[in-house]
Amino acid sequence: MIKFVRLDERLIHGQVAVKWIKQFNITHVIVAKDSLVKDNLMKKTLKMAAPEGTKVAVQSIAGTAKMLQNPKADNANIMLIVDNPADALELIRQIPQIKEINVGNYGRNSINHEPDERKQLTKNIYVNGKEREEFKKLVETGRFIYFQTVPEDKKEDLKDILGGK
């Protein structure tokens, strides 16, 4: 069962491993990113970044949706991670049971993004025009899309953040 969905360009890192996985008693992490499916080095790195005993799978978006159709998924506490708003939108399209997405960190690593001028939305979210539109589309799905770096922080509705900037 999906317990938590996070959009974070760093994928599995300290905040995810130390805070979020414990917060939701996560047993399985699925990193949903088409381009990583054949990247064995990155897959090994992500598996090493997760806490001991946490199973990690790297799947395409379609592969993630297929994994979640397996009845065994109902008995697992699953965290889904994507690293960009376009992939998050596609996840919602393919996995309608996703009701909310936590946005942690996005846009600081401009190497992976279009070279358009970035604007800061929150302390950890920076977007260019195209990405801003993708985040708006996420909000328009009717799901609760919110910014929250760690569990101790207050949830900030992305609809309000986008409306004010």
Side-chain angles (χ1 to χ4, degrees), residues 3-151:
K3 292 289 188 179
F4 187 63
V5 182
R6 183 165 171 103
L7 188 160
D8 192 317
E9 69 183 351
R10 299 171 300 167
L11 300 172
I12 302 174
H13 57 88
Q15 290 170 346
V16 168
V18 173
K19 298 280 188 169
W20 291 110
I21 288 175
K22 289 181 182 176
Q23 176 76 15
F24 292 98
N25 195 28
I26 299 298
T27 58
H28 295 73
V29 175
I30 302 173
V31 175
K33 183 163 180 68
D34 293 349
S35 65
L36 290 182
V37 172
K38 294 183 180 179
D39 187 338
N40 291 328
L41 178 60
M42 190 61 176
K43 288 196 290 191
K44 285 181 185 177
T45 302
L46 290 168
K47 288 177 181 179
M48 289 187 331
E52 189 175 336
T54 305
K55 296 184 181 191
V56 175
V58 177
Q59 289 289 325
S60 64
I61 302 294
T64 298
K66 187 174 180 178
M67 279 185 82
L68 293 171
Q69 292 171 0
N70 184 324
K72 290 181 182 178
D74 293 339
N75 298 322
N77 291 341
I78 299 171
M79 175 181 189
L80 303 180
I81 303 177
V82 295
D83 71 351
N84 66 78
D87 283 353
L89 193 57
E90 188 57 30
L91 263 186
I92 286 173
R93 287 185 182 128
Q94 293 193 32
I95 308 167
Q97 65 262 41
I98 293 174
K99 301 299 180 209
E100 61 182 51
I101 295 179
N102 164 266
V103 180
N105 294 277
Y106 184 78
R108 287 186 155 175
N109 182 4
S110 61
I111 294 170
N112 295 328
H113 306 291
E114 308 252 340
D116 189 358
E117 186 177 332
R118 296 192 165 280
K119 293 195 168 50
Q120 185 175 6
L121 296 181
T122 70
K123 65 181 179 178
N124 290 326
I125 300 176
Y126 297 79
V127 297
N128 62 29
K130 178 183 173 188
E131 296 159 340
R132 182 182 180 83
E133 290 306 311
E134 290 169 342
F135 275 112
K136 281 184 180 178
K137 287 178 185 175
L138 267 177
V139 168
E140 290 168 359
T141 66
R143 285 12 180 245
F144 180 44
I145 312 298
Y146 63 96
F147 169 72
Q148 185 182 25
T149 305
V150 292

